[in-house]
Short mmCIF file of all heavy atoms in Angstrom, two decimals:
data_model
loop_
_atom_site.label_atom_id
_atom_site.label_comp_id
_atom_site.label_asym_id
_atom_site.label_seq_id
_atom_site.Cartn_x
_atom_site.Cartn_y
_atom_site.Cartn_z
N VAL A 362 85.16 103.57 101.10
CA VAL A 362 86.06 104.75 100.99
C VAL A 362 85.73 105.75 102.10
O VAL A 362 84.64 106.24 102.21
CB VAL A 362 85.93 105.33 99.57
CG1 VAL A 362 87.03 106.59 99.55
CG2 VAL A 362 86.40 104.33 98.56
N LEU A 363 86.72 105.97 103.00
CA LEU A 363 86.66 106.92 104.08
C LEU A 363 87.40 108.12 103.69
O LEU A 363 88.45 108.04 103.19
CB LEU A 363 87.05 106.27 105.34
CG LEU A 363 86.42 104.88 105.78
CD1 LEU A 363 87.07 104.37 106.98
CD2 LEU A 363 84.93 105.14 105.98
N LYS A 364 86.98 109.27 104.22
CA LYS A 364 87.71 110.49 103.97
C LYS A 364 87.78 111.27 105.23
O LYS A 364 87.04 111.33 106.12
CB LYS A 364 87.03 111.29 102.80
CG LYS A 364 85.67 111.83 103.27
CD LYS A 364 85.01 112.70 102.12
CE LYS A 364 83.65 113.12 102.57
NZ LYS A 364 82.93 113.83 101.54
N GLY A 365 88.91 111.92 105.32
CA GLY A 365 89.21 112.85 106.46
C GLY A 365 90.66 113.34 106.48
O GLY A 365 91.52 112.76 105.90
N TYR A 366 90.81 114.60 107.06
CA TYR A 366 92.14 115.25 107.21
C TYR A 366 92.84 115.38 105.84
O TYR A 366 94.06 115.30 105.70
CB TYR A 366 93.00 114.43 108.08
CG TYR A 366 92.27 114.11 109.39
CD1 TYR A 366 91.73 112.77 109.71
CD2 TYR A 366 91.99 115.00 110.35
CE1 TYR A 366 91.13 112.46 110.71
CE2 TYR A 366 91.30 114.69 111.47
CZ TYR A 366 90.84 113.41 111.63
OH TYR A 366 90.11 113.14 112.89
N GLY A 367 92.05 115.58 104.72
CA GLY A 367 92.69 115.88 103.43
C GLY A 367 93.20 114.53 102.72
O GLY A 367 93.82 114.54 101.74
N HIS A 368 92.64 113.32 103.12
CA HIS A 368 93.01 112.03 102.68
C HIS A 368 91.80 111.14 102.51
O HIS A 368 90.70 111.36 103.14
CB HIS A 368 93.96 111.36 103.74
CG HIS A 368 95.27 112.00 103.76
ND1 HIS A 368 96.34 111.98 102.87
CD2 HIS A 368 95.62 112.78 104.83
CE1 HIS A 368 97.31 112.76 103.42
NE2 HIS A 368 96.99 113.30 104.48
N LYS A 369 91.96 110.16 101.66
CA LYS A 369 90.93 109.20 101.49
C LYS A 369 91.57 107.81 101.71
O LYS A 369 92.77 107.58 101.43
CB LYS A 369 90.34 109.11 100.05
CG LYS A 369 89.43 110.29 99.92
CD LYS A 369 88.61 110.14 98.54
CE LYS A 369 87.67 111.25 98.34
NZ LYS A 369 86.97 111.15 97.06
N ILE A 370 90.87 106.90 102.32
CA ILE A 370 91.40 105.59 102.65
C ILE A 370 90.35 104.55 102.08
O ILE A 370 89.18 104.68 102.40
CB ILE A 370 91.61 105.37 104.14
CG1 ILE A 370 92.73 106.17 104.66
CG2 ILE A 370 92.04 103.86 104.47
CD1 ILE A 370 93.05 106.08 106.01
N GLU A 371 90.83 103.61 101.37
CA GLU A 371 89.94 102.55 100.79
C GLU A 371 90.11 101.34 101.57
O GLU A 371 91.24 100.75 101.63
CB GLU A 371 90.28 102.38 99.26
CG GLU A 371 89.43 101.57 98.55
CD GLU A 371 89.82 101.36 97.19
OE1 GLU A 371 90.63 100.63 96.78
OE2 GLU A 371 89.23 102.16 96.27
N LEU A 372 89.15 100.89 102.15
CA LEU A 372 89.11 99.64 102.97
C LEU A 372 88.43 98.58 102.17
O LEU A 372 87.31 98.68 101.60
CB LEU A 372 88.39 99.66 104.30
CG LEU A 372 88.81 100.84 105.18
CD1 LEU A 372 88.03 100.95 106.44
CD2 LEU A 372 90.33 100.61 105.62
N LEU A 373 89.00 97.46 101.97
CA LEU A 373 88.57 96.18 101.09
C LEU A 373 88.21 95.16 101.98
O LEU A 373 88.96 94.83 102.95
CB LEU A 373 89.67 95.85 100.11
CG LEU A 373 90.20 96.94 99.16
CD1 LEU A 373 91.18 96.37 98.20
CD2 LEU A 373 89.09 97.53 98.36
N GLU A 374 87.17 94.40 101.60
CA GLU A 374 86.82 93.12 102.23
C GLU A 374 86.51 92.25 101.05
O GLU A 374 85.52 92.36 100.32
CB GLU A 374 85.59 93.26 103.11
CG GLU A 374 85.22 91.93 103.71
CD GLU A 374 83.94 92.04 104.65
OE1 GLU A 374 83.27 93.08 104.58
OE2 GLU A 374 83.63 91.09 105.31
N TYR A 375 87.33 91.17 100.95
CA TYR A 375 87.17 90.18 99.92
C TYR A 375 86.28 89.13 100.41
O TYR A 375 86.34 88.59 101.57
CB TYR A 375 88.49 89.49 99.57
CG TYR A 375 89.34 90.30 98.69
CD1 TYR A 375 90.04 91.32 99.09
CD2 TYR A 375 89.48 89.91 97.28
CE1 TYR A 375 90.93 92.08 98.25
CE2 TYR A 375 90.25 90.73 96.41
CZ TYR A 375 90.87 91.74 96.89
OH TYR A 375 91.77 92.44 96.00
#
Side-chain angles (χ1 to χ4, degrees):
V362 177
L363 304 174
K364 62 182 179 178
Y366 314 106
H368 298 281
K369 287 188 178 182
I370 294 180
E371 187 176 84
L372 303 177
L373 306 179
E374 179 180 9
Y375 279 78

